[in-house]
Every structure is written in C-alpha cells, then in structure tokens.
Amino acid sequence: MGASERVAALLRARQRQTRIEAATARAIKAQTSLARAIQAKETAIRRCDERITAAEARSAVEIAELAQVCGSADAAAEILGWSVRQVRRTIKSERERRAGRGSDAVGD
C-alpha cells in the first residue's frame, strides 16, 4: 500500500467517523424528542381526565339541583330527556360524593 493509498484510507475513515458522529447526534436528538413527546402526551391525557372528572362532578351537582328545584327526579328526567333511573343514579352518586367529602360539599 502506497502513501497515497494510506492517505485515501485515512480520509475515508475520517469521513466515516464524521458521518457516524452526525448520525449518532441525530439519533440521540430524535430519542430525546420522542421522550418529550411521550411525556407531553401523558400530561395532556392526565389534564383531560381531570377536566372530564370535574365536568362530570359539576353535571351531577346541576342534575341533583334540577331534581330538587323540580321537586322530583321524574320531572328532571323529563326535562333532560333521560330515564328516571339515570337521574336517580346520578343523584345517588352525587349524594355519595358529598357524603364522602364532608362539610365542604356544595350546598352544605
């Protein structure tokens, strides 16, 4: 192997090493980006679940109040277009939730 061949081989080795380093940096950056995206998704799901839970609780409070104002679950069910059973189940779950929270429940 002549000197020019050794120089050419050394140049190819350096170029390969440069490509390896660049590919490694891109792969690490992509992996970091993926980890951040997964974390953002988990956070978004948790926040959405919290909003849904809060909305469900608020809806139950309002339905219980509607039944109270109407004087019956039957009237509330008719207004909402729900079955009486659904309204009563919602009122029952709201009462149980309030009982579990103690004196800080809405309307206490």
Side-chain angles (χ1 to χ4, degrees):
M1 182 186 279
S4 64
E5 291 174 355
R6 285 193 298 266
V7 170
L10 182 58
L11 181 59
R12 285 191 305 273
R14 285 181 182 161
Q15 289 171 342
R16 182 171 185 264
Q17 183 62 34
T18 300
R19 288 193 311 273
I20 289 170
E21 290 170 0
T24 301
R26 288 191 309 270
I28 290 170
K29 184 177 179 180
Q31 190 63 31
T32 301
S33 179
L34 174 61
R36 274 193 238 118
I38 290 169
Q39 181 62 40
K41 178 183 176 184
E42 291 170 357
T43 300
I45 289 169
R46 187 175 54 253
R47 287 179 182 161
C48 185
D49 289 347
E50 290 168 357
R51 286 193 304 268
I52 289 170
T53 299
E56 287 172 340
R58 186 68 191 157
S59 176
V61 167
E62 296 301 336
I63 290 167
E65 180 150 343
L66 175 63
Q68 183 179 5
V69 169
C70 290
S72 73
D74 294 358
E78 187 175 332
I79 291 168
L80 295 171
W82 286 17
S83 70
V84 175
R85 185 178 188 177
Q86 286 175 298
V87 171
R88 287 187 177 141
R89 191 177 317 126
T90 301
I91 292 169
K92 181 180 177 185
S93 70
E94 172 54 19
R95 284 183 185 147
E96 290 170 353
R97 187 188 64 79
R98 267 196 245 166
R101 284 182 43 195
S103 63
D104 65 337
V106 174
D108 285 350

